[in-house]
Structures are given as C-alpha cells and as structure tokens.
Amino acid sequence: MASKKALPISGTMTVMVIVVVLVPSALLLDQTVEFKKTFMKKCKEFPEEEAICEAKFEIFVRAYVGKKETDVTEDSYNELFDNTPFKHPCEKTMFWSGTHDLATRFTKKRDDFFSVGDTLLGHVLDGLYWCGKEGTKGTFINDCVGDDPNPVLSFWVKMSVKFAEYTCDDTYVMLDGETEQPFFPGTAFEEDEIPYLKSSTVKSLTVILVVNEKTGTKCNNESLKNLNNIMKGKNIGYACKEVTKAHIEKCIKEGKGNIFE
C-alpha cells in the first residue's frame, strides 16, 4: 500500500516522497506456516487422512488468499462445502445458541447428537482466525481487520446455512434458560439457521432449555413463545424441555445418559 507524504525543503519547496509499506515476507511466511500446521493437525485429529486434509486446505485457502477481507463472502466458500459434505445422520442435528461450550462438550463423545463442532470443517476451524491480503499469497492470523464481511464471519454464516439445510426429521437446539431472552434476535441460530429449516424435511424442533434448577415455567419465556410461533408459521412441530446444567454435566462426565433425564 502506498501513501504520499510532503516534506518541506528550504521553506518553500516540497518534494513528494512515496512511502511504500510492505508486509515483511518472513512475517507472512511464519503466519502461513503456523496456520496450515494447525489446520492439518486438527484435521488429522478429527480423524481424517492426511491427503484429504491437504486437499481440503488447498480448496479452503482459495476462498480468501490474495483477496481483500471485505471481498470474501459466504459464496467464496461454495467450492469448499461442495467438496466437504456432512456425513453425520441428518436427524441427529443439534443447534446451539448461547451454550457453545456446554453443547459442544456434550456432543463431542456421543453419537446421538451432532453439533457443527462435530463436522470436519467445524472441528478444524473452531477458534481459528484467518484472512488474506490483496496482492499477497499467504494466510494472516494476527493482522486481520475484521470488517463486515470478512473471511471468518462469512465462513461461519455459510456453515450455519449448510448445517440447517442438511438437518431432517426431529432436530434440537440447546439454549440458555438463565438469560432474559434464550431465543435472542441477531444470533446465527435466528438469522442463518431457522430460515433454512423446511417442513418438507424437518418434522419438529425441540428446545433443550438449560437451567440451574427446574421450575416448569421457563419454557414460557416470551422469546420462546416467539420461536414457537415461527415454527408454527413454518409448519414445523415445536417442544421445549427444561434440563438442568448439572444433569448435562453428568452426562458429559459419564459419556452417556439420556439428556432429558
């Protein structure tokens, strides 16, 4: 990126000096190598074969390398998702909102529920940050501006949409029953997942409402009534069940147990 600065000479004359700001190649190389190393490590831990991980990585970086952050949209990841179909049973989908840690720990070692973190791309990219820069050929992990849109946000929007489109039959969402609005406007669940649930494939949505103590009343929260109305409008069944956090933690610890007690 070039910028112009005027330097005074002999009081009246000015010389225009072009200052060119370059990203040090060693810095870019270090970040690129570190990011790929992390990507490959998490991919093989999923587990997946190294050759497949290499192929996924090459497709993935094509979405953003050499591009301005704001030029990377959800559609930039079309090739990646086309080449990485979900493999879990579509009827065992679990969404979450406001319960990321609890939901992902719960589904991690089970085969009766699957969250986005239990998919290959979700597992690999959870917690990572990345971007490219126009005119460069590597991955940045420390120098991303984060304007909207950006490579990370666009990826997760695409993931949410594809995950919702994939789900079928009876599906579930884990929400925080101790907040004022368990179903909160502006979340990925509200904006990027619910709109893509179709009655032609999805029969019902059950809210797993995480509470400290069962009262039998928290499913009557106004925000959940709104969610119920949305499901009615989509001709999809709706249910809500309070489940204590302590019970879920017990299921996580034991690696088994019915979440609905």
Side-chain angles (χ1 to χ4, degrees):
M1 182 173 66
S3 60
K4 295 182 178 180
K5 294 184 179 181
L7 301 179
I9 304 294
S10 301
T12 56
M13 295 180 60
T14 23
V15 174
M16 300 304 293
V17 178
I18 303 297
V19 179
V20 179
V21 181
L22 298 175
V23 177
S25 58
L27 177 61
L28 175 56
L29 178 60
D30 287 346
Q31 293 188 54
T32 301
V33 170
E34 181 181 345
F35 184 83
K36 182 175 182 180
K37 182 179 179 181
T38 302
F39 184 103
M40 292 296 294
K41 179 176 181 290
K42 294 181 75 175
C43 184
K44 287 186 286 186
E45 287 174 349
F46 179 68
E48 189 54 270
E49 296 177 8
E50 184 169 3
I52 293 177
C53 293
E54 283 279 3
K56 300 301 181 189
F57 183 77
E58 292 305 315
I59 296 173
F60 171 67
V61 297
R62 284 202 289 268
Y64 65 87
V65 164
K67 301 178 183 179
K68 291 167 56 178
E69 291 183 53
T70 52
D71 286 343
V72 182
T73 66
E74 300 95 279
D75 287 343
S76 300
Y77 293 101
N78 284 346
E79 182 186 8
L80 178 66
F81 280 93
D82 287 345
N83 284 274
T84 316
F86 298 123
K87 296 180 179 180
H88 64 278
C90 63
E91 71 276 8
K92 295 183 178 181
T93 299
M94 180 184 284
F95 300 100
W96 53 261
S97 185
T99 58
H100 170 268
D101 177 67
L102 190 65
T104 53
R105 286 192 294 115
F106 176 77
T107 62
K108 185 176 182 180
K109 296 182 178 180
R110 303 174 65 98
D111 59 6
D112 50 352
F113 293 103
F114 292 81
S115 69
V116 292
D118 301 308
T119 67
L120 174 59
L121 295 177
H123 172 78
V124 171
L125 295 168
D126 185 26
L128 301 188
Y129 295 88
W130 65 90
C131 68
K133 301 287 183 184
E134 195 171 19
T136 65
K137 296 182 179 180
T139 297
F140 292 82
I141 58 178
N142 299 322
D143 304 286
C144 302
V145 177
D147 291 334
D148 187 5
N150 65 69
V152 177
L153 177 60
S154 294
F155 169 81
W156 287 111
V157 169
K158 188 71 173 182
M159 169 63 87
S160 293
V161 171
K162 298 296 286 186
F163 195 65
E165 288 179 334
Y166 179 77
T167 192
C168 69
D169 294 339
D170 300 316
T171 191
Y172 303 83
V173 60
M174 187 179 289
L175 301 178
D176 186 354
E178 296 301 324
T179 62
E180 185 177 349
Q181 289 183 286
F183 176 57
F184 196 82
T187 62
F189 178 58
E190 189 263 345
E191 291 189 345
D192 307 317
E193 292 170 340
I194 284 180
Y196 296 91
L197 298 180
K198 307 298 182 183
S199 60
S200 57
T201 53
V202 178
K203 296 178 182 178
S204 68
L205 172 71
T206 296
V207 173
I208 300 169
L209 193 63
V210 183
V211 296
N212 292 333
E213 184 178 348
K214 286 186 178 182
T215 66
T217 62
K218 292 190 175 180
C219 281
N220 295 325
N221 182 282
E222 285 300 319
S223 70
L224 295 178
K225 290 180 180 179
N226 183 36
L227 176 57
N228 187 5
N229 288 333
I230 292 173
M231 290 300 104
K232 285 182 179 178
K234 297 173 73 68
N235 198 30
I236 294 175
Y238 172 87
C240 177
K241 298 182 180 181
E242 293 183 11
V243 180
T244 64
K245 184 177 181 180
H247 175 68
I248 297 175
E249 291 286 4
K250 180 182 178 182
C251 290
I252 293 172
K253 183 178 180 180
E254 296 178 352
K256 59 182 181 180
N258 185 341
I259 192 172
F260 297 117
E261 301 177 277

